[in-house]
């Protein structure tokens, strides 16, 4: 498994479910560390459909269940890996991804688009 922190600043994307920020290559290589149900690993179409290159801001989060920033971002209910997250992610994932998120034990889907 490669780093969960973006390895470079080019070609960054953010997961539309949890807001995790990584490079497209990292999503393709490892998938989303918080949303394995999306099946992003080795699936270029899923990476394109479930992540967005259009996002605003960065925040570093270590313990999201204790963070006021996580509460503000509505990320405190999810079990998240310590990583870099986007403040707002433009776009909406496919309905299948939303249904998979809602069926997972992590947390229900919350739209991350604040534009």
């Amino acid at each position: 498994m490669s780093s969960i922190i973006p390895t470079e600043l080019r070609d960054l994307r953010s997961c539309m479910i949890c807001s995790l920020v990584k490079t497209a290559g990292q999503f393709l290589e490892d998938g989303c560390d918080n949303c394995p149900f999306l099946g992003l690993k080795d699936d270029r179409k899923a990476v394109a459909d479930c992540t967005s290159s259009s996002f605003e801001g960065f925040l570093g989060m270590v313990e999201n269940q204790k963070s006021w920033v996580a509460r503000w971002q509505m990320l405190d209910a999810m079990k998240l890996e310590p990583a870099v997250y986007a403040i707002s992610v433009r776009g909406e994932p496919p309905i299948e991804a939303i249904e998979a998120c809602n069926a997972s034990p992590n947390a229900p889907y919350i739209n991350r688009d604040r534009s």
Side-chain angles (χ1 to χ4, degrees), residues 15-92:
C15 176
M16 290 186 206
I17 300 290
C18 71
S19 302
L20 177 67
V21 175
K22 299 198 303 188
T23 65
Q26 287 174 298
F27 277 116
L28 192 59
E29 184 177 321
D30 295 319
C32 179
D33 301 78
N34 300 313
C35 308
F37 52 84
L38 293 177
L40 302 184
K41 187 175 181 177
D42 299 323
D43 188 339
R44 288 186 190 281
K45 182 174 179 349
V47 170
D49 290 347
C50 297
T51 68
S52 175
S53 61
S54 182
F55 61 90
E56 294 180 13
F58 292 100
L59 60 99
M61 198 162 355
V62 178
E63 294 183 25
N64 71 299
Q65 294 169 338
K66 295 180 180 180
S67 167
W68 70 267
V69 174
R71 282 193 302 276
W72 168 61
Q73 288 295 112
M74 295 181 281
L75 293 170
D76 56 323
M78 300 177 79
K79 183 176 180 343
L80 300 176
E81 293 293 325
V84 176
Y85 293 87
I87 293 173
S88 176
V89 184
R90 287 191 186 92
E92 189 169 316

